[in-house]
Amino acid sequence: MKSIKNNFYMLHLIWKECPWGVICEMLHWLIRRVGELFYSVFLLRFIVKAIENGTEFGKVMELLFLLLAYGILTEVFIAWYWNWYRRKVKLKIDEMLLKRMYEKAVECDLSCYENPEFYDKYTRANSEILQRGMKILEECGRIFGTVVTAVISIVIIAVWEPIVIPIVIVCAICSLLIDKKRSKMKYDCMVETTPQTRIQDYVKRTVYLQDYAKELRLGNMFLPLLKHFNESVKQALKITHHYYGMEAWLRVLRELFMSFGTYLVAQGIIIFRYIEQHVYNLSDVVTIMNAATVLQSNIYSISWNMSYFIENGLYVENLKTFFEYKPKITENENGIIPQNTKHRLTLKNVSFTYEGQTKPTLKNISLDILEGQKVAFVGHNGAGKSTLVKLIMRLYDVTEGEILLDGINIKDYKLSDYRHSFGTIFQDFKIFASNIEENVLLYPARNKIDEQIAYEAVNASGLGEKVRSLEKAMKTQLTREFDDEGVMLSGGEFQKIAVSRVFAKQSSIAILDEPSSALDPISEYEMFENMLKACEDKTVMFISHRLSSAVNADIIYLLEQGEIVEQGTHAELMSENGKYAEMFSMQAKQYKESGGKG
């Protein structure tokens, strides 16, 4: 029952997007199935009866010409639909489903991607989305046309030999139950092999993605990866052999039911009644036997199609789960829209624990960031700095405490407008296969003003000279994913592209999470000088484990094991001679010993 509901759930989505596509698919299969019945039952009965009654040849030819005209019209429709319109329908369905999936993926909480069970469902849904939409429409069309034809066949048989009907139906139901079991086994096999498939996909990505190319060539890391790959393949084969061995025997049993019920029993009764009891004339026998054969074929098709129908329903469950997921952090359409151009951000006793963990990542964080203030969060890796940024951006909600913007809890704001108040770069930023201008703006430039904003942002990040040296300047394509002449910049240059995004965004608060991790100390110093100059009228929060970047901040917060252990200006913290001073001195010593090289 659940599978049927899931199929109709998908069919409803398709109907909303493309109702004429659904109508044409149903009509197409109705024409094909009813046509088969007409030619094999009614036409053959007419010809045999004409021979029995000595009907004039001219009358027979009249019917044949009418059938020829009908056949031409229906074939024209089928050719038009199957070879042209159906392709448009598939593209519309794929576009609709992908759009829904991408919108939901953006809407899903970040925590979903850290939940293996949810992520496995998302992976299965994503891998099937471009196949199942059209498959479900096709199977619904097949079943519709086949059911209509089966009903007509039952009516024909009922007129002469109703005993045949229950025999065929009972055998068909047994076959259907076997098919249901087979579909469930195939789905269970897919579910059990999903983790192995994920491992294989990961290994394949590491082999061909540029991100891993250098490390793979400098060591033997491919050997443990290959070991994981081989183990996952063995495990997948073990699971597959277990399920498909049983599935093969079920298929044999299904065929026995269909052959015994229809060919041996049903048609045996008809032949016996004609030869031994002389109940029918030849045209009646031809009609009943062909109708029984068509019914058997239709029920066989329904049984076969229902196995796919059930299978589709099981796969749709993954899509449905994903589409109907209710995020914990919602848009809040009726929420408050931030009105000020400058903001005050306050954290009160904020604690946060990741889902599935018992130890909090942040504990009792309280701080007050004033408008226009330059704030640095420093500390070792894993101290909780990046998590703090995610909470401020409301990618996660706090476990305890509250975050306020201008004295109002951030949960009360409209989410998209609240986030628009921030320009953010994360340490694991991504560069897209697009030109420099679009990578800076994160959208195609709409006019000259947008182009100027992008250009000024690149200058502010310190990348202006490099961009001007390129033949196509701001229109230069980055990466070679889509263009063989695309440019591959250095890690530091890519990082400056990411920093440019903050400058390009018209926001009052800039957050930079490890914005200089790929830069040498001199480039880092120049970037921060440019950044502070460009963000003179903005609130700036930057997160770093390199303390040299914090020297010019108005206030520095040192985090350790999720808590603020020290706070103050650089001078104040150095005079206290505490942990900050110790870390700063150690980093300065390392810098001097390396000869000033990053």
Side-chain angles (χ1 to χ4, degrees), residues 127-252:
S127 66
E128 290 288 327
I129 196 166
L130 291 180
Q131 302 176 42
R132 294 294 160 182
M134 201 64 204
K135 273 186 180 180
I136 285 169
L137 179 57
E138 182 175 339
E139 291 306 326
C140 287
R142 284 178 190 270
I143 291 172
F144 172 71
T146 306
V147 167
V148 171
T149 310
V151 170
I152 297 172
S153 300
I154 289 171
V155 172
I156 294 169
I157 297 168
V159 172
W160 281 283
E161 200 62 63
I163 190 64
V164 170
I165 296 170
I167 296 170
V168 174
I169 290 176
V170 167
C171 290
I173 289 172
C174 292
S175 299
L176 181 60
L177 293 174
I178 293 169
D179 278 333
K180 184 178 180 181
K181 179 67 176 175
R182 287 175 58 223
S183 296
K184 181 67 168 58
M185 288 173 62
K186 287 172 71 177
Y187 177 77
D188 288 344
C189 180
M190 184 274 295
V191 170
E192 285 195 36
T193 54
T194 295
Q196 281 70 42
T197 303
R198 192 151 35 88
I199 292 169
Q200 293 163 30
D201 287 342
Y202 173 78
V203 176
K204 283 187 282 187
R205 286 200 308 275
T206 59
V207 170
Y208 74 78
L209 284 180
Q210 185 182 8
D211 301 6
Y212 304 94
K214 295 188 291 294
E215 283 81 358
L216 284 174
R217 283 154 180 77
L218 293 175
N220 291 321
M221 193 59 208
F222 184 68
L223 295 178
L225 288 176
L226 185 61
K227 182 181 177 182
H228 284 299
F229 183 87
N230 289 336
E231 287 174 354
S232 70
V233 170
K234 288 177 183 177
Q235 185 62 23
L237 285 172
K238 185 179 177 182
I239 295 167
T240 302
H241 287 158
H242 169 71
Y243 280 104
Y244 280 86
M246 292 188 292
E247 196 266 344
W249 284 110
L250 286 174
R251 182 166 185 156
V252 171

Side-chain angles (χ1 to χ4, degrees), residues 3 22 61 65 116 160 179 181 215 322 415 435 445 530 544 578:
S3 290
V22 176
M61 288 304 297
F65 276 118
W160 281 283
D179 278 333
K181 179 67 176 175
E215 283 81 358
F322 188 70
L415 185 61
N435 64 45
N530 290 333
S544 181

